[in-house]
Amino acid sequence: MKDSGTWLSPQVSVYVNDPPGLAPQTKQKFTQAREGLDTLFTLAKKTGFDRIGFGSDIISAPDTLAKINEEFVHRTKWFSPAEILRQATGNNGKMLALSGPRNPYPGTLGVIEPGAPADVLLIDGDPLEDPPSSPPPKRT
């Protein structure tokens, strides 16, 4: 993956807690995936692989969706808060830019520079010291 420029977009939150109602065979697959996360991220760090995106794949029940920001906290086992923020912002922008004609955003993505499209997040506190774990505020 490192040599070919491939991106990795893992969703840690999906595997932390098994969803209710899993068949035994599916539950076993979730367990294997969860156990493999440590190997995956340890090898990524060891080899200097940094094309890691950020996602959660949480699209289910409202109580599960309320935990979406826990993805930031789960990743602190392997990455610094700065690395996690880079995954969720710049890296995701660079990955989205690869969508070619389907990319709805003109300009350079994943960077902070004049003319580049960007969203700004205001966080009460220092995200490098205390990753966000509460749900995002509702948009009005």
Side-chain angles (χ1 to χ4, degrees):
M1 289 177 69
K2 185 176 179 180
D3 293 342
S4 65
T6 303
W7 282 84
L8 172 65
S9 183
Q11 291 83 35
V12 178
S13 294
V14 172
Y15 299 104
V16 170
N17 299 303
D18 293 341
L22 290 179
Q25 184 177 6
T26 306
K27 187 172 179 135
Q28 181 182 7
K29 290 179 182 181
F30 267 71
T31 300
Q32 289 173 331
R34 181 173 39 253
E35 292 170 353
L37 288 172
D38 191 56
T39 301
L40 171 70
F41 291 134
T42 299
L43 286 173
K45 294 279 291 204
K46 181 178 179 180
T47 63
F49 182 82
D50 62 357
R51 281 185 303 279
I52 300 173
F54 186 96
S56 68
D57 263 7
I58 296 178
I59 57 172
S60 58
D63 60 323
T64 306
L65 190 57
K67 299 176 182 180
I68 197 165
N69 279 351
E70 290 178 6
E71 182 76 19
F72 286 95
V73 177
H74 296 314
R75 289 177 184 233
T76 61
K77 181 176 178 183
W78 304 282
F79 303 102
S80 71
E83 289 170 317
I84 297 166
L85 286 174
R86 200 170 306 117
Q87 292 167 3
T89 56
N91 281 7
N92 274 5
K94 292 171 186 173
M95 194 168 26
L96 178 62
L98 296 173
S99 60
R102 292 183 178 196
N103 179 358
Y105 305 103
T108 305
L109 299 178
V111 297
I112 298 174
E113 63 183 38
D119 287 327
V120 176
L121 298 175
L122 300 177
I123 298 172
D124 185 13
D126 183 348
L128 297 180
E129 294 297 324
D130 185 23
S133 61
S134 60
K138 293 183 179 181
R139 289 187 169 183
T140 56

